[in-house]
Amino acid sequence: MTIAEVSKKYELSADTLRYYERIGLIPCVGRTSGGIRNYTDADCNWVEFIKCMRGAGIQLEALIEYVALFQQGEATGESRKQILIEQRDRLTAKMAEMQKTLERLNFKINNYENHIIQSEKMLESR
Amino acid sequence: MTIAEVSKKYELSADTLRYYERIGLIPCVGRTSGGIRNYTDADCNWVEFIKCMRGAGIQLEALIEYVALFQQGEATGESRKQILIEQRDRLTAKMAEMQKTLERLNFKINNYENHIIQSEKMLESR
DNA sequence: CATTGACTTGGAGCAAGCTCCAGATGTTAT
DNA sequence: ATAACATCTGGAGCTTGCTCCAAGTCAATG
């Protein structure tokens, strides 16, 4: 697949795909004889994986490390697992924080809907 | 309260507190005769609110708008409510995306734990 | 074979959200 | 009153994660 096709398929700009490759997120994308990127299915799977992780806010740094370990072979399995565990724990913590904020937003929206706000000074309504 | 006290209480740097004030997130913090910030309880409530919203990833831009409307009085209630609704919906969508990624991470971690990975080529294990 | 459009690289630029700094002024303890 | 320390302002700098650009090459079409 060309970069334009991958770009369209995963809704990531060609610039972003090149950037990801440059920083080591998509290992060694092959080129045609003319030097043009030719994404294999395996490359596409990496792209999809990265997109999913990024969509959840996982940092590039962690993904770069994971990909690098992956390329180093089976012996790095435990390290890779640790990265995944750390990221999962961060994600879980973040979601818990967001859940609290979500509840607070819902409470406030409910207040607005019920016209409970009598005064700008009602601190709870912030 | 001094900025140092507020900083400690909410675990936000003094620089961040000054920054928030500068961009309009903490309306008109009063000063002592010497020109030093003197946070009231109301100011602290704003700080706490902003910290909570920021912790969930809500953008400064939306918060600035909300605070500005709040200062304009009761007539802006509906607009403020709309901001809260939009932010809540974004938050909900983001959490749904994160939930999917979380499940994927758990699946992969489980694979690592069960030594299911036989080969680097097993795409599902990425 | 010439033109048009996609792709290449390396590097610069940008947006959000802080974070740090300098130089001046305020506050507190001895 | 004089260190020593906190705070002030305005502005510069930093980090993450892209995004854009220039100048050149490759590929497809008439």
Side-chain angles (χ1 to χ4, degrees):
Chain A
M1 291 179 95
T2 67
I3 200 168
E5 287 163 342
V6 177
S7 171
K8 192 172 181 185
K9 184 169 181 183
Y10 297 105
E11 294 176 290
L12 292 170
S13 77
D15 270 316
T16 297
L17 288 170
R18 287 191 207 101
Y19 172 67
Y20 283 173
E21 186 182 339
R22 186 160 30 169
I23 64 175
L25 275 188
I26 310 161
C28 50
V29 176
R31 310 291 152 119
T32 65
S33 57
I36 293 195
R37 284 175 182 79
N38 185 23
Y39 288 81
T40 63
D41 285 352
D43 295 329
C44 286
N45 286 331
W46 276 112
V47 170
E48 191 277 330
F49 173 68
I50 299 299
K51 183 187 174 170
C52 176
M53 296 296 132
R54 285 294 304 136
I58 289 171
Q59 298 200 340
L60 290 179
E61 188 183 13
L63 298 173
I64 289 167
E65 200 183 342
Y66 183 79
V67 170
L69 288 170
F70 203 98
Q71 290 184 272
Q72 286 167 40
E74 287 186 44
T76 64
E78 188 59 28
S79 307
R80 278 181 269 154
K81 191 182 102 181
Q82 286 310 316
I83 291 175
L84 298 183
I85 287 171
E86 189 189 332
Q87 297 310 315
R88 178 197 54 190
D89 293 349
R90 280 174 191 244
L91 204 49
T92 305
K94 193 76 189 173
M95 285 176 74
E97 198 173 2
M98 289 165 85
Q99 182 60 39
K100 278 192 187 172
T101 304
L102 184 57
E103 282 160 17
R104 187 161 176 177
L105 280 171
N106 276 326
F107 174 76
K108 289 164 60 48
I109 289 163
N110 200 45
N111 277 353
Y112 275 103
E113 273 164 0
N114 293 325
H115 306 287
I116 286 175
I117 302 113
Q118 309 288 359
S119 158
E120 300 286 350
K121 284 169 192 156
M122 185 178 166
L123 300 179
E124 284 309 311
S125 101
R126 267 185 199 146
Chain B
M1 291 180 95
T2 67
I3 200 167
E5 288 163 340
V6 177
S7 171
K8 192 172 182 185
K9 184 169 181 183
Y10 297 105
E11 294 176 289
L12 292 170
S13 76
D15 269 316
T16 298
L17 288 170
R18 287 190 207 100
Y19 171 67
Y20 282 174
E21 186 183 339
R22 184 157 35 167
I23 64 175
L25 274 188
I26 310 160
C28 48
V29 176
R31 309 292 153 121
T32 65
S33 56
I36 291 195
R37 284 175 183 77
N38 184 22
Y39 289 81
T40 64
D41 284 352
D43 293 330
C44 286
N45 285 331
W46 275 112
V47 170
E48 190 277 329
F49 172 67
I50 299 299
K51 183 187 174 171
C52 176
M53 296 297 132
R54 285 295 305 136
I58 289 171
Q59 298 200 342
L60 290 180
E61 188 184 11
L63 299 174
I64 290 167
E65 201 184 341
Y66 183 78
V67 171
L69 288 169
F70 203 98
Q71 290 185 271
Q72 286 167 40
E74 286 186 46
T76 64
E78 188 59 29
S79 307
R80 279 181 269 154
K81 191 183 104 181
Q82 286 311 315
I83 290 175
L84 298 182
I85 286 171
E86 189 189 332
Q87 297 309 316
R88 177 195 56 188
D89 293 350
R90 279 175 192 245
L91 204 49
T92 305
K94 193 77 188 169
M95 285 177 74
E97 198 173 3
M98 289 165 85
Q99 181 60 40
K100 278 192 187 174
T101 304
L102 184 58
E103 282 159 18
R104 187 163 176 176
L105 280 171
N106 276 326
F107 174 76
K108 289 164 61 50
I109 290 163
N110 201 46
N111 276 354
Y112 274 102
E113 274 166 0
N114 292 326
H115 305 288
I116 286 176
I117 301 113
Q118 307 290 358
S119 158
E120 300 285 353
K121 285 168 190 154
M122 187 178 165
L123 301 179
E124 284 310 310
S125 101
R126 264 183 202 148

